[in-house]
């Protein structure tokens, strides 16, 4: 029997930029290539984004001797409030769901990212949260 239970990781961040600017950075391939799924020592090879519901993205980074391919499909785009997508890494059978909610805040915006993954990944929840923190750090640097 396959379990449908999900493990959820929630990460929040305040940005100095308005919601429109934060939202748009997720869908712009030039911007995304600088921070989305990027690691400090990796080499970004490709960032293709079709910013439409049903549109797909492919973010590819070389990390030492390994190539990491993040593939996804947008399931919701409500500029500048919310975007959601499903994605997998290196064509794995495991598909995650990510929702990004962006709200206006004093002088900028608050972002809440919710990553739902299969319960078998519960032991990776802290590592996943740290990964998203690193990614959001990169987004903040790119927007600055």
């Amino acid at each position: 029997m396959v379990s449908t239970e999900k493990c959820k990781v929630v990460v929040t961040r305040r940005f100095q930029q308005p919601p429109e600017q934060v939202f748009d950075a997720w869908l712009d391939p030039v911007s995304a290539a600088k921070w989305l799924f990027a690691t400090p020592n990796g080499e970004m090879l490709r960032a293709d984004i079709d910013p439409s519901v049903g549109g797909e993205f492919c973010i590819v980074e070389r990390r030492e001797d390994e190539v990491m391919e993040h593939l996804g499909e947008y399931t919701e785009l409500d500029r500048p409030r919310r975007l959601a997508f499903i994605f997998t890494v290196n064509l794995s059978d495991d598909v995650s769901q990510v929702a990004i909610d962006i709200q206006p805040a004093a002088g900028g915006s608050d972002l809440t990212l919710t990553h739902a993954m299969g319960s078998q990944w519960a032991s990776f929840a802290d590592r996943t949260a740290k990964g998203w923190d690193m990614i959001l750090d990169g987004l903040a640097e790119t927007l600055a």
Side-chain angles (χ1 to χ4, degrees):
M1 175 184 231
V2 176
S3 172
T4 58
E5 290 185 36
K6 297 281 183 186
C7 169
K8 288 189 179 180
V9 172
V10 178
V11 178
T12 60
R13 180 69 56 99
R14 174 156 291 171
F15 291 92
Q16 295 177 356
Q17 295 75 20
E20 294 81 5
Q21 191 174 353
V22 175
F23 181 94
D24 291 346
W26 286 88
L27 302 177
D28 174 42
V30 174
S31 172
K34 297 175 185 175
W35 60 271
L36 185 56
F37 304 119
T39 58
N41 297 318
E43 174 192 359
M44 190 59 66
L45 302 176
R46 185 169 143 200
D48 296 330
I49 296 176
D50 174 4
S52 60
V53 173
E56 298 178 345
F57 65 80
C58 178
I59 311 291
V60 183
E61 182 186 53
R62 181 183 320 281
R63 299 176 184 170
E64 295 182 18
D65 295 332
E66 188 174 20
V67 173
M68 301 300 293
E69 187 174 50
H70 295 83
L71 304 167
E73 179 181 328
Y74 296 103
T75 57
E76 191 174 348
L77 295 172
D78 181 15
R79 184 179 190 269
R81 294 173 207 73
R82 181 177 170 86
L83 64 117
F85 54 87
I86 57 172
F87 84 101
T88 186
V89 178
N90 291 349
L91 292 175
S92 167
D93 289 335
D94 293 311
V95 176
S96 294
Q97 299 171 325
V98 175
I100 294 116
D101 293 293
I102 306 167
Q103 299 296 322
S109 45
D110 287 335
L111 180 146
T112 301
L113 182 146
T114 305
H115 183 152
M117 53 194 163
S119 60
Q120 73 271 25
W121 297 105
S123 63
F124 287 88
D126 287 341
R127 184 173 160 190
T128 299
K130 287 177 184 173
W132 282 117
D133 278 335
M134 179 189 70
I135 288 168
L136 295 178
D137 286 346
L139 172 57
E141 289 175 21
T142 299
L143 291 173

